[in-house]
Amino acid sequence: MAAGSADSVAVDLAVDDMSEPTGRVPRVEGGEPTGRIPRVDVDGDPTLAVRSPVIDMKHLWKTYRPGSLAVHALRGVTLNVDRGEFVAVMGPSGSGKSTLMHIMGCLDIPTSGTYELSGEDVSEMSENSLAHIRNREIGFVFQQYNLLPRLTAWRNVELPLMYARVPAPERRRRALASLQQVGLAERVDHRPTELSGGQQQRVALARALVTNPALLLADEPTGNLDTASALEILGLLQDLHRSGRTVVLITHEPDVAAVAGRVLRIRDGQIDSEEVAA
Amino acid sequence: MRWRDTFRSGFEAILGHGLRSLLTILGIMIGIAAVILTVGLGQGAQSTVNSAISALGSNLLVVTPGSTTGSGGVRGGFGSASTLTLADANALGSKRVAPNVIAVAPQAETVEVLTAGSSNWTTSVVGSTASWAEVRDRQLQEGGFFTRQQVSGADDVAVLGSTTASELFGAKSPIDQTVTVNGVVLTVIGELTSAGSSGSTNLDDMAIVPITTTQQQLFTGTFATSVSTIYCEANSSSGLSGAYQEIDDELLAAHHIAQPSEADFTITSQTTIASTANSVNRTLTDLLAGIAGISLLVGGIGVMNIMLVSVTERVREIGLRKALGAPPTDIRRQFLVEASSLGLLGGIGGVLAGLLGTVILPHLQSNPVTISPLATAVAIVVAIAIGLVFGVYPATRAARLSPIDALRSE
Ligand SMILES: Nc1ncnc2c1ncn2[C@@H]1O[C@H](COP(=O)(O)OP(=O)(O)OP(=O)(O)O)[C@@H](O)[C@H]1O
Ligand SMILES: [Mg+2]
């Protein structure tokens, strides 16, 4: 089934970012970021793709000290994610996947080790450039969704655009388009408490997609969905990947991981194995 | 974020937390209104005392029996053995003895029952001389004041205050009517124009009778021989200190007192009364300002609490906004708009409540309430500053956390 959705968008391959509103991803015009994370079309010919890492982590440790006891969530993780790659992260519960993802998304800081994003050391970036990166270049789907309970679905989705200083009418247009993409056109005026878990998850995904980010980080984005909806979302992620985005997603399901170009397995805060899909 | 969006987010947050916003506004309001009203009451009391003092008459020196000395406290006193006599007053009236004194009005007074026909009225009967009206700066609304001749003749005449007159004679003119005091029948020859009250004394409820008449016929005991007060009017305000010296010298000599510190009388000038009253008032104002400050502090702590709680509750929201790319400036601004809107609403409400209080309070108690612009301004600034500091500072601190730490807080 994963192959089926890939087929349907095969025509989009090698099409430039700006030109298409074809296929499953109705790209919203305007606000196309020219950020430090470039989109490259590696699917055209993977062997020719220049290996230039977007994410470059070396000996990353993350230690929590909730009490007197130290919890090592990450123990020396070293990994690269290249431009335009689609990476799945798998591992047992509590193995440190979310922790890794938060650091990747510049939402948390490692206890030690270095993290370079597009060649730039994140620990040396200013608050403002970090905010800019989180806003314009990274789309993050939280495992816990993290929607603002007082705002309706579309107002939640428009939030990142507010910080990008996009004018209000365009914000609404893009938020609605993004919600339609995840199949929630009927629920735009509902508050999170009036939505099912799976619907909330899709609002969170729509919010991550609305800024058209170059790097999409999704923490179990299909964890609460039925198979059909999950496939739909997966197809969406694949489309994004095909149009040049770098996608890293956490999953427990082998089916989902199978779609990715590479699977990273994490155990006890360490990379256990790495396998490249055939 | 655009300013428009910042304002919209701020107002949505205020409306979204209705009760909490209301409590914050109320805290600021009460602090400001309390300061306006307490300081206003203090200043109102001060202006009452000042007008009472100026009602005493101008360029006035008041001689009273007894003395206050630095070490010995009060010697003698108003009710006890009075050391002032009519002879003292007559001496001070002499141009040779006291050139700076242009008029002298001794005053001997007791409370008596006045009877006119079937009505009677208890009031203070004042024995004085013909200069009383001039010295006390009083006018007559009807008839005339008694003359020097009537005083030396100890005539049975009386001048009534307006309250006394209406109590005894109703709407009828009191002139040429008679009142009986201690069996002596007095003819009413004049009625004073109303002068209101000075402090607790009603200036319109009294009967003035020639002092010779009171001494010979009406009063008994020490009241018949001594006077309770001698009012001396100086020729000008610049002559006041000269007059003071003349009175002091004459009375010390007349009473055979060698040491000025042993004086058995006290001379008070209107200015010393005013400055004493003012310092008492300033103490009162300081006290009220202290109380107002405390109420501002209490209101401020309330505001501080609510602000701190509301920001702490929203650290998760701050974390999420940061995760979505909000720069610290935007977060600071959002909370600044929220806190200053609450502060502004509370400030306006507090000033309105304070103004309303200054209109209502005078109907509930006798003192007027004046508005102090300085106290009002200080109250507004302090209340809003507290709201701002405790609304913005914790938010700025939360904005310094990493998004994940903020999202995980609670
Ligand atoms: N704030 C924290 N304080 C203390 N320990 C923490 C904290 N956050 C995570 N941990 C610990 O770090 C480890 C990794 O947590 P993490 O959330 O990354 O797991 P995960 O792989 O995402 O698990 P799951 O699949 O269940 O989501 C866990 O053992 C967890 O208990
Ligand atoms: Mg997780």
Side-chain angles (χ1 to χ4, degrees):
Chain A
M1 32 87 215
S5 42
D7 281 348
S8 69
V9 287
V11 279
D12 286 349
L13 293 184
V15 172
D16 183 86
D17 262 3
M18 306 294 288
S19 57
E20 83 313 21
T22 47
R24 201 194 301 248
V25 190
R27 298 291 311 281
V28 271
E29 62 276 20
E32 195 60 41
T34 50
R36 59 191 97 199
I37 306 174
R39 286 135 222 224
V40 289
D41 186 4
V42 288
D43 275 2
D45 187 349
T47 53
L48 291 181
V50 188
R51 279 187 59 91
S52 53
V54 171
I55 292 167
D56 184 0
M57 296 176 150
K58 287 197 180 73
H59 315 295
L60 229 56
W61 283 73
K62 180 70 184 180
T63 307
Y64 294 109
R65 291 182 193 283
S68 52
L69 219 70
V71 178
H72 301 288
L74 296 179
R75 312 157 174 261
V77 170
T78 298
L79 70 86
N80 284 327
V81 175
D82 288 340
R83 289 178 188 174
E85 246 195 308
F86 191 147
V87 177
V89 178
M90 296 188 81
S93 180
S95 57
K97 304 183 296 296
S98 296
T99 307
L100 178 67
M101 199 70 129
H102 293 150
I103 293 173
M104 236 180 236
C106 303
L107 303 179
D108 209 353
I109 33 180
T111 311
S112 67
T114 59
Y115 171 29
E116 288 184 4
L117 185 68
S118 285
E120 215 176 314
D121 191 341
V122 170
S123 67
E124 271 157 24
M125 289 184 196
S126 69
E127 258 305 316
N128 279 329
S129 47
L130 280 175
H132 191 270
I133 288 175
R134 289 177 200 132
N135 187 231
R136 313 281 170 103
E137 306 195 26
I138 297 176
F140 201 99
V141 184
F142 289 95
Q143 191 172 12
Q144 265 80 25
Y145 323 143
N146 288 328
L147 302 173
L148 285 185
R150 278 174 198 286
L151 301 183
T152 59
W154 83 267
R155 294 287 312 277
N156 264 290
V157 174
E158 98 171 321
L159 269 182
L161 297 179
M162 272 174 119
Y163 293 111
R165 303 177 63 86
V166 175
E170 192 190 334
R171 287 203 303 260
R172 183 171 162 85
R173 203 156 38 75
R174 285 172 68 172
L176 295 183
S178 193
L179 280 164
Q180 178 159 24
Q181 255 185 299
V182 298
L184 271 185
E186 311 296 310
R187 293 283 184 278
V188 293
D189 287 322
H190 288 237
R191 283 164 202 265
T193 46
E194 301 156 2
L195 295 171
S196 74
Q199 286 169 335
Q200 290 178 45
Q201 187 158 45
R202 282 183 282 164
V203 174
L205 182 62
R207 186 180 59 191
L209 298 182
V210 77
T211 52
N212 229 338
L215 174 61
L216 184 72
L217 304 175
D219 197 345
E220 296 193 45
T222 59
N224 263 316
L225 300 181
D226 59 284
T227 319
S229 313
L231 282 181
E232 188 107 348
I233 296 303
L234 212 56
L236 195 66
L237 296 180
Q238 277 185 290
D239 289 350
L240 289 168
H241 170 230
R242 297 237 161 78
S243 63
R245 310 304 193 277
T246 309
V247 179
V248 179
L249 87 85
I250 293 175
T251 184
H252 286 295
E253 293 169 57
D255 282 356
V256 176
V259 174
R262 184 155 61 113
V263 178
L264 287 175
R265 289 187 193 277
I266 295 195
R267 186 176 296 274
D268 287 338
Q270 285 175 319
I271 306 275
D272 198 42
S273 75
E274 235 183 276
E275 53 201 62
V276 181
Chain B
M1 221 197 299
R2 287 154 184 254
W3 274 109
R4 268 182 59 176
D5 295 325
T6 307
F7 278 104
R8 199 173 77 155
S9 302
F11 294 147
E12 278 175 0
I14 289 173
L15 293 176
H17 304 95
L19 183 65
R20 185 199 293 159
S21 308
L22 207 69
L23 288 175
T24 312
I25 291 172
L26 217 60
I28 296 176
M29 263 180 74
I30 289 169
I32 292 177
V35 173
I36 292 178
L37 289 181
T38 43
V39 174
L41 271 172
Q43 295 197 337
Q46 193 162 358
S47 70
T48 308
V49 171
N50 284 342
S51 67
I53 289 165
S54 64
L56 284 174
S58 53
N59 300 335
L60 208 58
L61 288 167
V62 181
V63 187
T64 47
S67 78
T68 52
T69 55
S71 52
V74 178
R75 281 201 292 125
F78 286 92
S80 62
S82 182
T83 52
L84 292 176
T85 62
L86 185 57
D88 289 333
N90 288 337
L92 295 177
S94 150
K95 274 274 161 291
R96 189 185 46 79
V97 171
N100 278 306
V101 175
I102 54 167
V104 175
Q107 206 171 285
E109 57 180 307
T110 56
V111 173
E112 304 285 351
V113 179
L114 277 62
T115 315
S118 58
S119 41
N120 52 61
W121 180 247
T122 305
T123 188
S124 86
V125 172
V126 176
S128 191
T129 57
S131 6
W132 186 90
E134 180 202 338
V135 172
R136 299 299 309 272
D137 197 20
R138 296 293 297 268
Q139 281 73 43
L140 281 104
Q141 108 180 17
E142 214 186 340
F145 207 75
F146 45 80
T147 60
R148 233 175 253 275
Q149 287 70 36
Q150 284 170 313
V151 173
S152 47
D155 287 8
D156 296 340
V157 293
V159 174
L160 303 183
S162 54
T163 306
T164 317
S166 67
E167 288 294 342
L168 288 171
F169 300 103
K172 228 168 34 173
S173 166
I175 306 299
D176 293 336
Q177 305 288 328
T178 56
V179 291
T180 309
V181 185
N182 285 348
V184 180
V185 179
L186 304 169
T187 308
V188 179
I189 58 166
E191 182 186 343
L192 294 169
T193 306
S194 171
S197 58
S198 162
S200 57
T201 322
N202 184 349
L203 294 174
D204 293 329
D205 192 9
M206 56 170 77
I208 302 102
V209 178
I211 192 162
T212 44
T213 313
T214 60
Q215 291 193 329
Q216 293 164 24
Q217 302 181 60
L218 295 182
F219 297 171
T220 52
T222 52
F223 292 110
T225 53
S226 61
V227 299
S228 60
T229 317
I230 302 174
Y231 291 97
C232 303
E233 189 181 355
N235 50 9
S236 67
S237 57
S238 56
L240 212 54
S241 63
Y244 184 102
Q245 205 52 55
E246 291 156 15
I247 296 166
D248 200 32
D249 290 347
E250 169 60 22
L251 291 182
L252 286 174
H255 294 188
H256 311 292
I257 295 166
Q259 290 294 323
S261 60
E262 304 281 295
D264 57 357
F265 56 90
T266 305
I267 308 169
T268 322
S269 73
Q270 207 187 343
T271 38
T272 61
I273 297 173
S275 74
T276 310
N278 266 333
S279 76
V280 169
N281 258 301
R282 218 166 296 122
T283 315
L284 193 72
T285 308
D286 288 350
L287 183 80
L288 286 168
I291 295 171
I294 290 170
S295 53
L296 194 59
L297 192 76
V298 171
I301 288 173
V303 171
M304 187 175 94
N305 259 324
I306 297 169
M307 282 296 194
L308 278 177
V309 167
S310 94
V311 174
T312 312
E313 240 182 59
R314 292 168 64 195
V315 170
R316 280 177 52 81
E317 177 190 331
I318 292 173
L320 175 70
R321 288 180 184 273
K322 275 199 79 175
L324 297 179
T329 345
D330 281 11
I331 296 199
R332 204 164 43 234
R333 263 192 210 149
Q334 184 191 334
F335 281 85
L336 189 73
V337 164
E338 277 186 50
S340 49
S341 305
L342 290 176
L344 205 67
L345 287 173
I348 293 172
V351 170
L352 287 182
L355 292 181
L356 196 69
T358 58
V359 174
I360 292 173
L361 266 186
H363 296 292
L364 304 178
Q365 43 94 59
S366 57
N367 284 322
V369 183
T370 51
I371 296 161
S372 157
L374 177 71
T376 308
V378 167
I380 292 172
V381 167
V382 169
I384 293 181
I386 289 173
L388 276 185
V389 168
F390 292 96
V392 176
Y393 173 68
T396 313
R397 270 178 48 128
R400 269 191 228 125
L401 294 173
S402 80
I404 287 300
D405 286 342
L407 272 168
R408 283 223 195 87
S409 80
E410 226 150 1

